[in-house]
Amino acid sequence: MHRSHTEREREIQSLNDVFDGLQRRMRNLEDNMDNQTNTDKRMREYWDELSELRIQLAENRQKLEMMQAKHSNSFAVAACLFFICFLVYGLYVLVNGV
């Protein structure tokens, strides 16, 4: 199913927003981990959550790369179609002398 350009742009923006949120959360966790008053149990909880966030971030990066690749492929197809139309028009002008 084809998606409109704006839908793809919204999806890409949504993924970028998720990236920003995950990165902020990771920075907060890293700052909390630097606190010397944390217990070992709390440090393990921070570490586990940080590991989960890294996994989510990697998955979302892959999704974004796939979406960007599809977007660039669409652009390449559109550019080729434009070139072909321009070429056909040029040949038409040459043949008909318009």
Side-chain angles (χ1 to χ4, degrees):
M1 184 169 121
H2 291 289
R3 295 184 192 150
S4 71
H5 178 70
T6 55
E7 289 175 358
R8 277 187 254 143
E9 289 294 323
R10 271 191 238 124
E11 286 183 40
I12 290 172
Q13 183 59 44
S14 173
L15 280 174
N16 283 329
D17 292 342
V18 168
F19 280 142
D20 293 341
L22 288 173
Q23 288 174 338
R24 265 187 261 115
R25 183 68 182 139
M26 286 175 64
R27 279 193 300 274
N28 288 340
L29 282 172
E30 289 168 347
D31 291 342
N32 289 339
M33 290 174 76
D34 289 338
N35 187 351
Q36 298 298 324
T37 61
N38 289 327
T39 63
D40 287 340
K41 180 181 176 187
R42 192 68 182 143
M43 288 296 284
R44 277 192 297 273
E45 289 173 3
Y46 286 148
W47 183 254
D48 290 342
E49 188 173 352
L50 189 60
S51 297
E52 285 180 34
L53 288 173
R54 286 184 176 143
I55 290 169
Q56 288 177 353
L57 192 60
E59 290 172 354
N60 285 327
R61 273 196 185 120
Q62 288 177 342
K63 287 179 187 177
L64 183 61
E65 288 172 3
M66 287 174 38
M67 291 175 76
Q68 288 173 338
K70 287 180 184 177
H71 182 70
S72 64
N73 287 345
S74 297
F75 180 76
V77 168
C80 288
L81 286 174
F82 178 77
F83 177 74
I84 290 169
C85 290
F86 183 73
L87 182 64
V88 168
Y89 176 74
L91 291 174
Y92 173 77
V93 169
L94 285 174
V95 170
N96 291 325
V98 176

XYZ file of all heavy atoms in Angstrom:
821
model
N 0.839 -1.173 0.000
C 0.000 0.000 0.000
C 0.884 1.236 0.000
O 1.834 1.332 0.759
C -0.886 -0.037 1.248
C -1.879 1.089 1.310
S -3.058 0.760 2.609
C -2.810 2.185 3.598
N 0.570 2.169 -0.865
C 1.349 3.401 -0.950
C 0.917 4.367 0.138
O -0.248 4.516 0.428
C 1.163 4.061 -2.314
C 1.793 3.287 -3.420
N 3.156 3.209 -3.555
C 1.262 2.550 -4.410
C 3.432 2.462 -4.611
N 2.302 2.040 -5.139
N 1.911 5.009 0.704
C 1.630 6.035 1.698
C 1.933 7.382 1.079
O 2.835 7.509 0.267
C 2.510 5.839 2.925
C 2.217 4.571 3.646
C 3.058 4.512 4.884
N 2.979 3.177 5.420
C 3.930 2.596 6.102
N 5.026 3.237 6.342
N 3.789 1.391 6.560
N 1.200 8.361 1.508
C 1.453 9.693 0.980
C 2.746 10.230 1.572
O 3.257 9.746 2.580
C 0.297 10.625 1.303
O 0.276 10.925 2.679
N 3.256 11.230 0.906
C 4.510 11.866 1.344
C 4.367 12.409 2.763
O 5.274 12.254 3.583
C 4.877 12.975 0.364
C 6.110 13.718 0.723
N 7.363 13.158 0.641
C 6.286 14.980 1.197
C 8.260 14.051 1.036
N 7.623 15.156 1.376
N 3.243 13.019 3.072
C 3.059 13.604 4.403
C 2.985 12.524 5.477
O 3.469 12.734 6.589
C 1.792 14.479 4.458
O 0.672 13.710 4.041
C 1.942 15.706 3.584
N 2.402 11.376 5.153
C 2.359 10.281 6.128
C 3.764 9.782 6.439
O 4.099 9.529 7.600
C 1.502 9.131 5.601
C 0.030 9.429 5.570
C -0.759 8.303 4.936
O -0.165 7.300 4.488
O -1.997 8.435 4.869
N 4.591 9.650 5.400
C 5.978 9.224 5.620
C 6.737 10.257 6.433
O 7.521 9.918 7.302
C 6.671 8.968 4.290
C 6.368 7.581 3.755
C 7.191 7.279 2.542
N 6.242 7.365 1.431
C 6.496 7.839 0.251
N 7.691 8.285 -0.029
N 5.580 7.890 -0.679
N 6.510 11.530 6.101
C 7.175 12.599 6.850
C 6.757 12.561 8.315
O 7.590 12.750 9.204
C 6.855 13.971 6.242
C 7.524 14.209 4.913
C 9.031 14.290 5.015
O 9.535 14.840 6.013
O 9.705 13.791 4.101
N 5.471 12.313 8.575
C 4.992 12.211 9.960
C 5.646 11.035 10.672
O 6.010 11.149 11.846
C 3.475 12.067 9.992
C 2.775 13.391 10.041
C 1.298 13.199 10.334
N 0.604 13.813 9.218
C -0.279 13.240 8.427
N -0.656 12.010 8.631
N -0.819 13.884 7.428
N 5.774 9.903 9.987
C 6.410 8.736 10.597
C 7.869 9.023 10.926
O 8.357 8.654 11.991
C 6.307 7.530 9.670
C 4.937 6.928 9.599
C 4.905 5.694 8.718
O 5.855 4.893 8.775
O 3.921 5.541 7.975
N 8.566 9.661 9.996
C 9.969 10.010 10.228
C 10.084 10.979 11.392
O 10.934 10.821 12.275
C 10.609 10.579 8.949
C 10.776 9.466 7.908
C 11.957 11.225 9.256
C 11.225 9.945 6.544
N 9.195 11.985 11.443
C 9.219 12.933 12.554
C 8.904 12.237 13.869
O 9.517 12.521 14.893
C 8.222 14.082 12.306
C 8.247 15.140 13.377
C 9.622 15.779 13.530
O 10.266 16.096 12.546
N 10.056 15.957 14.759
N 7.969 11.303 13.835
C 7.618 10.550 15.037
C 8.820 9.754 15.542
O 9.100 9.735 16.745
C 6.452 9.615 14.740
O 6.198 8.764 15.826
N 9.531 9.100 14.625
C 10.724 8.359 15.028
C 11.800 9.296 15.571
O 12.475 8.966 16.550
C 11.281 7.545 13.860
C 10.568 6.232 13.577
C 11.118 5.598 12.311
C 10.718 5.280 14.735
N 11.954 10.463 14.971
C 12.925 11.429 15.485
C 12.544 11.885 16.892
O 13.415 12.054 17.751
C 13.048 12.633 14.552
C 13.862 12.318 13.329
O 14.769 11.498 13.368
N 13.536 12.963 12.222
N 11.240 12.066 17.145
C 10.778 12.444 18.481
C 11.068 11.324 19.485
O 11.476 11.589 20.623
C 9.290 12.764 18.470
C 8.964 14.020 17.686
O 9.893 14.832 17.435
O 7.786 14.196 17.309
N 10.857 10.086 19.048
C 11.161 8.942 19.919
C 12.659 8.923 20.233
O 13.063 8.699 21.382
C 10.719 7.613 19.268
C 11.275 6.415 20.013
C 9.202 7.544 19.191
N 13.507 9.173 19.216
C 14.948 9.240 19.442
C 15.294 10.272 20.502
O 16.065 10.007 21.416
C 15.702 9.628 18.168
C 15.912 8.500 17.214
C 15.809 8.724 15.857
C 16.219 7.239 17.643
C 15.998 7.704 14.964
C 16.414 6.207 16.763
C 16.296 6.440 15.412
N 14.719 11.454 20.355
C 15.006 12.520 21.303
C 14.615 12.116 22.717
O 15.366 12.327 23.670
C 14.287 13.815 20.910
C 14.812 14.420 19.626
O 15.946 14.064 19.217
O 14.086 15.239 19.027
N 13.432 11.519 22.859
C 12.970 11.078 24.176
C 13.860 10.002 24.768
O 14.203 10.040 25.961
N 14.249 9.032 23.940
C 15.123 7.960 24.423
C 16.497 8.497 24.825
O 17.059 8.094 25.843
C 15.285 6.876 23.353
C 14.082 5.984 23.098
C 14.347 5.073 21.905
C 13.752 5.156 24.319
N 17.021 9.404 24.035
C 18.332 9.962 24.355
C 18.279 10.782 25.636
O 19.198 10.719 26.456
C 18.857 10.796 23.190
C 19.275 9.934 22.025
C 19.670 10.736 20.800
O 19.276 11.891 20.643
N 20.444 10.117 19.928
N 17.185 11.556 25.841
C 17.035 12.309 27.093
C 16.965 11.369 28.280
O 17.608 11.585 29.305
C 15.770 13.175 27.046
C 16.046 14.587 26.597
C 14.808 15.463 26.732
N 14.187 15.544 25.408
C 13.006 15.068 25.068
N 12.229 14.516 25.958
N 12.564 15.171 23.843
N 16.172 10.294 28.132
C 16.031 9.318 29.217
C 17.381 8.650 29.502
O 17.730 8.424 30.668
C 14.978 8.276 28.840
C 14.717 7.270 29.906
C 14.052 7.892 31.117
N 13.865 6.880 32.133
C 14.074 7.079 33.415
N 14.422 8.256 33.864
N 13.897 6.105 34.272
N 18.139 8.334 28.464
C 19.458 7.714 28.664
C 20.393 8.666 29.405
O 21.122 8.245 30.306
C 20.062 7.299 27.311
C 19.411 6.072 26.727
S 20.006 5.649 25.078
C 21.712 5.261 25.415
N 20.370 9.945 29.028
C 21.224 10.916 29.737
C 20.836 11.022 31.208
O 21.701 11.074 32.080
C 21.142 12.281 29.059
C 22.017 12.410 27.831
C 22.150 13.855 27.377
N 20.872 14.471 27.038
C 20.287 14.399 25.844
N 20.858 13.736 24.862
N 19.130 14.990 25.617
N 19.513 11.023 31.482
C 19.060 11.087 32.866
C 19.520 9.864 33.658
O 19.970 9.982 34.803
C 17.534 11.203 32.936
C 17.031 12.560 32.491
O 17.786 13.531 32.476
N 15.770 12.624 32.125
N 19.398 8.692 33.044
C 19.843 7.471 33.717
C 21.349 7.502 33.970
O 21.812 7.114 35.055
C 19.481 6.238 32.883
C 18.031 5.797 32.945
C 17.771 4.705 31.921
C 17.681 5.307 34.333
N 22.104 7.945 32.976
C 23.554 8.015 33.152
C 23.917 8.995 34.256
O 24.822 8.730 35.062
C 24.229 8.402 31.841
C 24.185 7.280 30.812
C 24.582 7.716 29.420
O 24.672 8.936 29.158
O 24.795 6.821 28.577
N 23.195 10.125 34.328
C 23.428 11.077 35.410
C 23.085 10.459 36.762
O 23.815 10.646 37.742
C 22.606 12.357 35.208
C 23.084 13.179 34.022
O 24.227 12.952 33.567
O 22.307 14.043 33.561
N 21.968 9.719 36.822
C 21.586 9.053 38.070
C 22.607 7.998 38.474
O 22.859 7.792 39.657
C 20.205 8.408 37.938
C 19.094 9.429 37.881
O 19.258 10.567 38.307
N 17.953 9.028 37.350
N 23.185 7.334 37.488
C 24.184 6.298 37.782
C 25.469 6.910 38.337
O 26.182 6.266 39.097
C 24.474 5.467 36.531
C 23.320 4.576 36.143
S 23.578 3.722 34.583
C 24.728 2.459 35.094
N 25.738 8.151 37.962
C 26.941 8.815 38.472
C 26.816 9.205 39.939
O 27.810 9.476 40.600
C 27.252 10.067 37.649
C 27.758 9.724 36.257
O 28.248 8.589 36.075
O 27.660 10.588 35.372
N 25.581 9.217 40.458
C 25.347 9.567 41.848
C 25.951 8.488 42.746
O 25.629 7.315 42.636
C 23.840 9.694 42.096
C 23.522 10.213 43.470
O 24.385 10.340 44.325
N 22.246 10.508 43.687
N 26.804 8.886 43.650
C 27.539 7.934 44.493
C 26.680 7.319 45.600
O 27.077 6.333 46.207
C 28.752 8.632 45.119
C 29.757 9.150 44.110
C 30.365 8.045 43.279
O 30.592 6.947 43.771
N 30.615 8.319 42.010
N 25.506 7.888 45.870
C 24.679 7.388 46.973
C 23.754 6.247 46.561
O 23.011 5.744 47.386
C 23.823 8.538 47.556
O 22.973 9.042 46.528
C 24.706 9.644 48.109
N 23.794 5.822 45.305
C 22.936 4.737 44.834
C 23.361 3.409 45.439
O 24.546 3.123 45.601
C 22.984 4.620 43.311
C 22.290 5.766 42.633
O 21.309 6.289 43.147
N 22.800 6.165 41.485
N 22.364 2.572 45.729
C 22.651 1.221 46.206
C 22.959 0.330 45.004
O 22.681 0.688 43.860
C 21.432 0.653 46.961
O 20.335 0.559 46.049
C 21.057 1.534 48.138
N 23.519 -0.842 45.287
C 23.819 -1.784 44.205
C 22.546 -2.197 43.475
O 22.546 -2.334 42.256
C 24.524 -3.026 44.763
C 25.955 -2.743 45.153
O 26.513 -1.735 44.663
O 26.525 -3.524 45.935
N 21.462 -2.404 44.235
C 20.194 -2.798 43.620
C 19.708 -1.704 42.679
O 19.282 -1.990 41.550
C 19.155 -3.062 44.700
C 17.821 -3.484 44.157
C 16.818 -3.715 45.265
C 15.469 -4.054 44.651
N 14.416 -4.137 45.648
N 19.782 -0.475 43.134
C 19.319 0.648 42.298
C 20.205 0.790 41.057
O 19.716 1.068 39.967
C 19.347 1.939 43.134
C 18.647 3.079 42.480
C 17.158 2.808 42.415
N 16.521 3.915 41.732
C 15.511 3.801 40.908
N 14.974 2.623 40.681
N 14.990 4.833 40.331
N 21.500 0.587 41.203
C 22.414 0.660 40.059
C 22.080 -0.408 39.023
O 22.118 -0.150 37.828
C 23.870 0.519 40.516
C 24.398 1.736 41.249
S 24.463 3.204 40.224
C 25.895 2.829 39.243
N 21.757 -1.625 39.492
C 21.367 -2.697 38.564
C 20.083 -2.325 37.819
O 19.965 -2.583 36.623
C 21.186 -4.019 39.306
C 22.491 -4.758 39.531
C 22.234 -6.186 39.996
N 21.547 -6.238 41.280
C 22.131 -6.214 42.473
N 23.436 -6.157 42.556
N 21.418 -6.276 43.586
N 19.129 -1.721 38.540
C 17.886 -1.284 37.894
C 18.181 -0.235 36.829
O 17.624 -0.295 35.727
C 16.917 -0.707 38.929
C 16.327 -1.738 39.853
C 15.519 -1.115 40.973
O 15.370 0.143 41.010
O 15.024 -1.869 41.825
N 19.049 0.725 37.146
C 19.438 1.741 36.158
C 20.112 1.087 34.957
O 19.839 1.432 33.811
C 20.389 2.777 36.767
C 19.759 3.764 37.704
C 20.481 4.269 38.780
C 18.463 4.228 37.525
C 19.930 5.200 39.649
C 17.905 5.154 38.388
C 18.630 5.638 39.448
O 18.091 6.550 40.299
N 21.015 0.161 35.238
C 21.750 -0.495 34.160
C 20.805 -1.287 33.256
O 20.928 -1.244 32.031
C 22.832 -1.392 34.739
C 23.654 -2.016 33.671
C 23.619 -3.296 33.248
C 24.620 -1.357 32.851
N 24.498 -3.493 32.221
C 25.129 -2.313 31.956
C 25.103 -0.048 32.792
C 26.091 -2.000 31.012
C 26.060 0.245 31.854
C 26.547 -0.719 30.979
N 19.845 -2.006 33.863
C 18.883 -2.778 33.073
C 18.034 -1.865 32.191
O 17.811 -2.149 31.009
C 17.971 -3.607 33.983
C 18.704 -4.758 34.666
O 19.806 -5.125 34.192
O 18.173 -5.281 35.670
N 17.565 -0.764 32.774
C 16.745 0.165 31.997
C 17.560 0.815 30.885
O 17.084 0.977 29.756
C 16.156 1.244 32.904
C 15.147 2.114 32.192
C 14.435 3.078 33.120
O 14.592 3.000 34.344
O 13.708 3.930 32.571
N 18.813 1.141 31.184
C 19.690 1.731 30.172
C 19.925 0.749 29.031
O 19.905 1.126 27.861
C 21.009 2.160 30.812
C 21.964 2.971 29.972
C 21.320 4.276 29.532
C 23.228 3.278 30.767
N 20.098 -0.512 29.346
C 20.285 -1.538 28.310
C 19.043 -1.656 27.434
O 19.152 -1.762 26.204
C 20.590 -2.891 28.946
O 21.796 -2.829 29.668
N 17.852 -1.628 28.051
C 16.613 -1.685 27.279
C 16.480 -0.473 26.351
O 16.074 -0.609 25.192
C 15.407 -1.723 28.215
C 15.190 -3.048 28.887
C 13.977 -3.024 29.797
O 12.990 -2.323 29.473
O 14.016 -3.707 30.828
N 16.826 0.693 26.854
C 16.744 1.904 26.043
C 17.700 1.838 24.857
O 17.358 2.271 23.757
C 17.039 3.144 26.886
C 15.952 3.532 27.882
C 16.443 4.677 28.763
C 14.680 3.923 27.172
N 18.878 1.297 25.069
C 19.842 1.159 23.966
C 19.298 0.227 22.888
O 19.480 0.475 21.692
C 21.186 0.674 24.494
C 21.932 1.745 25.224
C 23.300 1.300 25.654
N 24.008 2.407 26.275
C 24.821 2.284 27.307
N 25.054 1.098 27.822
N 25.413 3.343 27.814
N 18.643 -0.849 23.309
C 18.054 -1.788 22.341
C 16.953 -1.094 21.550
O 16.890 -1.201 20.324
C 17.518 -3.046 23.068
C 18.692 -3.877 23.594
C 16.634 -3.878 22.143
C 18.278 -4.987 24.542
N 16.075 -0.365 22.244
C 15.003 0.366 21.561
C 15.562 1.393 20.598
O 15.055 1.560 19.484
C 14.099 1.068 22.580
C 13.225 0.145 23.366
C 12.404 0.904 24.398
O 12.577 2.105 24.604
N 11.513 0.192 25.059
N 16.610 2.072 21.011
C 17.232 3.078 20.160
C 17.801 2.441 18.893
O 17.613 2.958 17.793
C 18.330 3.808 20.938
C 18.913 5.062 20.323
C 17.830 6.107 20.123
C 20.009 5.626 21.215
N 18.455 1.298 19.033
C 19.012 0.603 17.870
C 17.897 0.157 16.920
O 18.018 0.300 15.698
C 19.838 -0.597 18.326
N 16.794 -0.373 17.469
C 15.679 -0.805 16.625
C 15.065 0.374 15.872
O 14.768 0.277 14.679
C 14.612 -1.491 17.482
C 15.024 -2.838 18.021
C 14.028 -3.402 19.024
O 13.059 -2.695 19.399
O 14.218 -4.549 19.447
N 14.884 1.486 16.562
C 14.300 2.660 15.917
C 15.234 3.252 14.871
O 14.782 3.772 13.858
C 13.899 3.707 16.953
C 12.645 3.321 17.698
O 11.760 2.694 17.144
N 12.569 3.671 18.965
N 16.531 3.169 15.098
C 17.490 3.638 14.083
C 17.358 2.820 12.812
O 17.393 3.355 11.705
C 18.917 3.539 14.620
C 19.348 4.731 15.381
C 20.857 4.771 15.559
N 21.192 5.888 16.409
C 21.812 5.809 17.563
N 22.196 4.633 18.010
N 22.065 6.877 18.279
N 17.222 1.509 12.977
C 17.062 0.645 11.807
C 15.786 0.987 11.044
O 15.788 1.053 9.819
C 17.036 -0.827 12.225
C 18.378 -1.355 12.657
C 18.290 -2.796 13.140
O 17.225 -3.297 13.465
N 19.437 -3.454 13.194
N 14.692 1.224 11.771
C 13.434 1.597 11.126
C 13.590 2.901 10.354
O 13.129 3.027 9.222
C 12.321 1.759 12.160
C 11.817 0.479 12.747
C 10.730 0.770 13.767
C 10.310 -0.470 14.510
N 9.300 -0.166 15.544
N 14.255 3.865 10.971
C 14.441 5.161 10.330
C 15.305 5.034 9.085
O 15.009 5.630 8.051
C 15.060 6.161 11.309
C 15.241 7.579 10.795
C 13.895 8.187 10.429
C 15.940 8.437 11.828
N 16.362 4.244 9.155
C 17.221 4.039 7.990
C 16.446 3.396 6.848
O 16.616 3.769 5.681
C 18.435 3.188 8.369
C 19.448 3.927 9.219
C 20.542 3.021 9.754
O 20.560 1.814 9.420
O 21.386 3.522 10.517
N 15.574 2.434 7.169
C 14.769 1.794 6.134
C 13.805 2.795 5.505
O 13.637 2.826 4.290
C 13.995 0.612 6.721
C 14.858 -0.587 7.023
S 14.019 -1.951 7.886
C 12.405 -1.993 7.173
N 13.198 3.637 6.338
C 12.258 4.636 5.821
C 12.980 5.657 4.953
O 12.469 6.075 3.914
C 11.535 5.326 6.972
C 10.574 4.411 7.695
S 9.853 5.204 9.127
C 8.681 6.269 8.311
N 14.169 6.071 5.380
C 14.923 7.038 4.594
C 15.372 6.436 3.272
O 15.400 7.119 2.247
C 16.106 7.561 5.398
C 15.689 8.493 6.511
C 16.833 8.884 7.413
O 17.848 8.196 7.506
N 16.671 10.003 8.107
N 15.726 5.148 3.275
C 16.122 4.486 2.030
C 14.940 4.430 1.066
O 15.095 4.692 -0.131
C 16.635 3.079 2.329
N 13.761 4.119 1.581
C 12.570 4.093 0.731
C 12.283 5.487 0.195
O 11.903 5.649 -0.965
C 11.362 3.577 1.518
C 11.402 2.102 1.797
C 10.182 1.673 2.579
C 10.269 0.205 2.945
N 9.123 -0.215 3.765
N 12.462 6.493 1.042
C 12.223 7.872 0.633
C 13.189 8.281 -0.479
O 12.794 8.895 -1.451
C 12.362 8.800 1.843
C 12.100 10.234 1.547
N 10.849 10.708 1.245
C 12.923 11.299 1.489
C 10.910 12.000 1.022
N 12.161 12.390 1.157
N 14.458 7.912 -0.335
C 15.433 8.278 -1.368
C 15.171 7.510 -2.655
O 15.383 8.033 -3.747
C 16.860 8.057 -0.872
O 17.098 6.693 -0.628
N 14.705 6.262 -2.553
C 14.346 5.498 -3.751
C 13.184 6.165 -4.474
O 13.179 6.251 -5.710
C 13.968 4.062 -3.389
C 15.169 3.230 -2.993
O 16.300 3.620 -3.237
N 14.918 2.097 -2.364
N 12.206 6.637 -3.731
C 11.067 7.332 -4.335
C 11.534 8.594 -5.052
O 11.051 8.914 -6.138
C 10.037 7.709 -3.269
O 9.515 6.563 -2.659
N 12.451 9.299 -4.446
C 12.980 10.510 -5.064
C 13.714 10.172 -6.351
O 13.572 10.871 -7.356
C 13.914 11.242 -4.097
C 14.491 12.491 -4.678
C 13.727 13.636 -4.788
C 15.800 12.518 -5.138
C 14.245 14.798 -5.334
C 16.337 13.664 -5.691
C 15.554 14.811 -5.788
N 14.488 9.093 -6.354
C 15.228 8.690 -7.552
C 14.265 8.317 -8.683
O 14.489 8.687 -9.843
C 16.153 7.518 -7.229
N 13.205 7.614 -8.357
C 12.209 7.245 -9.367
C 11.553 8.500 -9.940
O 11.379 8.627 -11.164
C 11.152 6.289 -8.773
C 9.963 6.123 -9.706
C 11.777 4.939 -8.456
N 11.206 9.440 -9.070
C 10.577 10.689 -9.528
C 11.538 11.465 -10.432
O 11.120 12.015 -11.458
C 10.160 11.538 -8.338
N 12.814 11.509 -10.077
C 13.798 12.217 -10.900
C 13.943 11.547 -12.269
O 14.039 12.239 -13.297
C 15.147 12.262 -10.173
N 13.950 10.218 -12.297
C 14.036 9.500 -13.579
C 12.811 9.771 -14.445
O 12.934 9.982 -15.656
C 14.187 8.001 -13.337
S 15.815 7.542 -12.712
N 11.648 9.758 -13.847
C 10.425 10.044 -14.605
C 10.453 11.463 -15.169
O 10.059 11.685 -16.321
C 9.187 9.849 -13.722
C 8.801 8.411 -13.430
C 7.656 8.365 -12.419
C 8.420 7.677 -14.700
N 10.922 12.402 -14.379
C 11.030 13.778 -14.844
C 11.983 13.862 -16.038
O 11.685 14.504 -17.039
C 11.520 14.681 -13.709
C 11.712 16.108 -14.126
C 10.635 16.951 -14.289
C 12.990 16.601 -14.361
C 10.813 18.265 -14.685
C 13.187 17.910 -14.758
C 12.091 18.746 -14.921
N 13.113 13.186 -15.932
C 14.095 13.192 -17.018
C 13.509 12.574 -18.286
O 13.682 13.100 -19.389
C 15.361 12.457 -16.595
C 16.376 12.368 -17.684
C 17.122 13.472 -18.052
C 16.582 11.166 -18.356
C 18.061 13.397 -19.080
C 17.511 11.081 -19.379
C 18.260 12.193 -19.741
N 12.807 11.458 -18.150
C 12.203 10.787 -19.305
C 11.168 11.694 -19.970
O 11.138 11.823 -21.205
C 11.588 9.429 -18.894
C 12.710 8.444 -18.548
C 10.688 8.862 -19.985
C 12.231 7.177 -17.879
N 10.327 12.337 -19.156
C 9.326 13.260 -19.722
C 10.000 14.411 -20.452
O 9.573 14.807 -21.547
C 8.420 13.793 -18.614
S 7.313 12.547 -17.944
N 11.060 14.961 -19.873
C 11.790 16.051 -20.502
C 12.409 15.585 -21.818
O 12.379 16.295 -22.823
C 12.869 16.570 -19.555
C 13.626 17.733 -20.086
C 13.045 18.994 -20.166
C 14.929 17.575 -20.530
C 13.744 20.076 -20.668
C 15.643 18.647 -21.035
C 15.044 19.904 -21.101
N 12.960 14.366 -21.832
C 13.557 13.813 -23.029
C 12.503 13.620 -24.126
O 12.733 13.986 -25.290
C 14.236 12.474 -22.710
C 14.943 11.781 -23.859
C 16.117 12.636 -24.348
C 15.424 10.414 -23.426
N 11.360 13.061 -23.779
C 10.280 12.852 -24.755
C 9.814 14.195 -25.304
O 9.616 14.353 -26.519
C 9.111 12.065 -24.123
C 7.875 12.083 -25.016
C 9.540 10.639 -23.829
N 9.658 15.190 -24.433
C 9.251 16.517 -24.896
C 10.300 17.106 -25.835
O 9.967 17.690 -26.871
C 9.009 17.444 -23.702
C 8.689 18.860 -24.123
C 7.449 19.177 -24.660
C 9.646 19.866 -24.011
C 7.152 20.461 -25.067
C 9.363 21.155 -24.419
C 8.116 21.451 -24.938
O 7.823 22.719 -25.350
N 11.573 16.953 -25.491
C 12.651 17.452 -26.354
C 12.628 16.801 -27.719
O 12.805 17.473 -28.747
N 12.425 15.490 -27.760
C 12.326 14.783 -29.042
C 11.106 15.247 -29.826
O 11.168 15.414 -31.046
C 12.276 13.273 -28.804
C 13.569 12.641 -28.282
C 13.334 11.168 -27.954
C 14.689 12.807 -29.292
N 10.002 15.470 -29.159
C 8.798 15.957 -29.803
C 9.055 17.328 -30.455
O 8.667 17.567 -31.605
C 7.666 16.066 -28.775
C 6.411 16.721 -29.307
C 5.537 16.029 -30.121
C 6.135 18.043 -29.001
C 4.387 16.631 -30.624
C 5.004 18.671 -29.498
C 4.121 17.953 -30.295
O 2.998 18.568 -30.790
N 9.723 18.201 -29.729
C 10.028 19.535 -30.253
C 10.963 19.424 -31.470
O 10.791 20.111 -32.470
C 10.633 20.440 -29.151
C 11.204 21.712 -29.724
C 9.600 20.747 -28.100
N 11.965 18.540 -31.383
C 12.878 18.358 -32.502
C 12.183 17.816 -33.736
O 12.429 18.252 -34.864
C 14.032 17.431 -32.113
C 15.102 18.024 -31.208
C 16.092 16.917 -30.792
C 15.852 19.131 -31.928
N 11.309 16.839 -33.553
C 10.619 16.221 -34.684
C 9.611 17.175 -35.309
O 9.542 17.295 -36.531
C 9.945 14.912 -34.241
C 9.009 14.368 -35.320
C 10.994 13.867 -33.885
N 8.858 17.855 -34.502
C 7.801 18.731 -35.018
C 8.268 20.163 -35.269
O 7.520 20.946 -35.846
C 6.602 18.733 -34.056
C 5.897 17.399 -34.056
O 5.815 16.732 -35.087
N 5.404 17.003 -32.923
N 9.430 20.505 -34.820
C 9.973 21.831 -35.058
C 9.160 22.940 -34.400
O 9.033 24.025 -34.948
N 8.594 22.663 -33.268
C 7.757 23.665 -32.582
C 8.567 24.639 -31.815
O 9.571 24.609 -31.359
C 6.756 22.966 -31.623
C 5.958 23.985 -30.835
C 5.838 22.076 -32.415
